[in-house]
Structures are given as C-alpha cells and as structure tokens.
Amino acid sequence: ALTQPLQGLPAVLSDVLGPVLKDVDEVQLLETAGAVAVALVLKTAIKLSHRETAESARRKAGLAGLVLFPAQGKGGVELIGKPTLSDGDTLLRPDTFTQAHGALNSQLVSAAVVGLQAQGRHVLELYCGNGNFTLALAKTAQGVVAVESFGASVALGQEAATRAKLENIRWIQSDAEKTGLALAREGERFDCLLVDPPRAGCAKVAQIAKATGAARVVYVACDPSSLARDAKALIAAGYEPVTAQ
C-alpha cells in the first residue's frame, strides 16, 4: 500500500506526464517524512520535452524533485529540483535502492548492528547501497569497508558519511563478490562480514567470509531460496547459526 503522501500521486503523474509517457519505461516513487521524489526511467535519451514535463510535474504534484534516468548508453542522469531526501543520517534518492518500510528498516538496521557485534572491530560490508547499515556500523566499529556496484548509491553514502563526520569508512564502487575475494587475495582481513544482497543472494559469501577471516557474519536476505543456499554454504564452512529474525 502507498503511504498517505503518495496516495493519489499516480493519477496526478499519469495526467501530467501524458505527453511523454510513451518514452517512460518505469516510474519510481520515494517518500520520507512527507517529502516525495520521483524517478522516471526512460526508454530513450533525455529530451527537452522530458525536462519540461518533469519540471511541470514537480510544480503541480508538489514534489521535492525528480530524477531523469536515460536508457542505458544514452547519457547521464539528470536531476530536477532536489530529489535527494534525508532519513536520519541516510540520504535517499528514488533511482537507488531503498527499503520499502521506513519503520521496519530502522528495526532491521538495529538488529543487524546488534547481531554483528562490530564495536571496535574491522567490518567488511558487501552490497552496502547508500549506507543503510554502513553509517550505523561506522559509529562504533574501528573501520568499515563498504562495497557497492551502483555509483549513485556510493555517492549518496559518501555524502551522508561526510555530513555525519564519519571518517572510518572506505567506499569501493565495484562488484561485491569479486571485490570481497580480491580483498582477501590482497591480504586484507576483517573481524565481521555483513551482506545485504539482491534476490540472487551472495553465492560466494562462505568463501569470502573464510578468506577474509570474518568470525561473525550477518546476512540480510530478501529471498528464502538464495538464503537457504548461502546459509548451507556458511554452515559447511564451519559457521554456526546463532539467531534468525
């Protein structure tokens, strides 16, 4: 279900975006603390008509801003207004991954931080996104290496860390699994590992955990089948389940 500020917005956008809807592949909505931002994922390069229509939508729908996301290989992202929203220390944008339920996400972050027991320790975080867990971990950890493949998410995380004056985070924009194994080959070792993969899971999580020396692993899952596969590999590698939520 849509949050109250988003109710009625699809109808408004359908009307305002009418002239360019044929070029829109997907519309992504983001709301936090009553502020709303929208991403338009396009099938084409960004055109003047897209910019003008987006600005009209921003005014008529009372949006904080929009992101115009062109088709792959058709240019860079453009921002209309101020589509970057704040949720506590974390910065969000509608074209980057965000947990759907804000209140439950706070509980999720808290549970992950408590479970990892990272106080004063070195942490490797794979699939860090825009720092949903990273910022909370960095407040007590000795240091965090945060790996994410999507550049916009990394940029948001870096900006949020700067605002929060967290200087113990090393951000790496790269493939999470490949980077985890590469760090191990380079001799880097970590006390704890946190992974928050997409539905496909993190098939090499056990290999990465063992190779980097992580004594404790927190796995945030969104798909039962990939979790079962990866948990089986972790158990086979010598890790024991402690808690599940």
Side-chain angles (χ1 to χ4, degrees):
L2 295 176
T3 61
Q4 194 280 329
L6 295 180
Q7 293 174 9
L9 182 58
V12 174
L13 290 177
S14 178
D15 180 57
V16 178
L17 299 177
V20 300
L21 274 179
K22 67 181 186 302
D23 294 337
V24 177
D25 186 50
E26 186 176 341
V27 178
Q28 299 171 342
L29 309 179
L30 173 66
E31 181 269 325
T32 182
V36 177
V38 173
L40 302 181
V41 182
L42 302 171
K43 304 174 184 177
T44 67
I46 297 173
K47 306 172 185 176
L48 177 60
S49 59
H50 299 150
R51 298 184 185 96
E52 292 175 341
T53 302
E55 179 57 40
S56 177
R58 186 186 68 81
R59 295 194 307 270
K60 292 182 179 179
L63 304 175
L66 296 93
V67 179
L68 297 179
F69 199 98
Q72 187 172 1
K74 297 293 185 179
V77 168
E78 294 187 15
L79 308 183
I80 306 295
K82 298 179 179 179
T84 300
L85 308 181
S86 297
D87 181 19
D89 289 334
T90 309
L91 297 179
L92 311 175
R93 221 172 71 184
D95 58 323
T96 64
F97 176 77
T98 303
Q99 294 288 345
H101 195 299
L104 288 180
N105 180 60
S106 296
Q107 297 177 34
L108 175 64
V109 172
S110 178
V113 170
V114 170
L116 201 61
Q117 298 181 5
Q119 294 88 343
R121 296 176 176 173
H122 294 279
V123 178
L124 173 61
E125 181 187 2
L126 303 181
Y127 310 97
C128 70
N130 56 0
N132 188 43
F133 298 99
T134 319
L135 304 177
L137 289 169
K139 291 177 180 179
T140 60
Q142 177 70 26
V144 180
V145 174
V147 185
E148 167 61 41
S149 62
F150 189 46
S153 293
V154 174
L156 288 173
Q158 290 174 318
E159 183 179 349
T162 298
R163 292 186 183 186
K165 295 181 171 56
L166 295 170
E167 300 179 348
N168 59 339
I169 305 171
R170 175 183 167 196
W171 302 88
I172 301 177
Q173 182 187 339
S174 184
D175 178 270
E177 287 189 345
K178 291 180 180 178
T179 301
L181 293 172
L183 290 170
R185 287 195 300 270
E186 293 167 4
E188 296 209 37
R189 296 295 179 262
F190 300 90
D191 303 302
C192 311
L193 170 65
L194 186 147
V195 297
D196 180 17
R199 293 187 180 278
C202 182
K204 296 181 180 179
V205 62
Q207 184 180 350
I208 293 169
K210 292 293 287 186
T212 57
R216 199 168 186 90
V217 179
V218 167
Y219 189 116
V220 181
C222 60
D223 181 82
S225 60
S226 59
L227 171 61
R229 178 200 67 203
D230 297 345
K232 181 179 179 180
L234 283 165
I235 293 170
Y239 293 90
E240 297 181 1
V242 175
T243 184
Q245 297 186 35

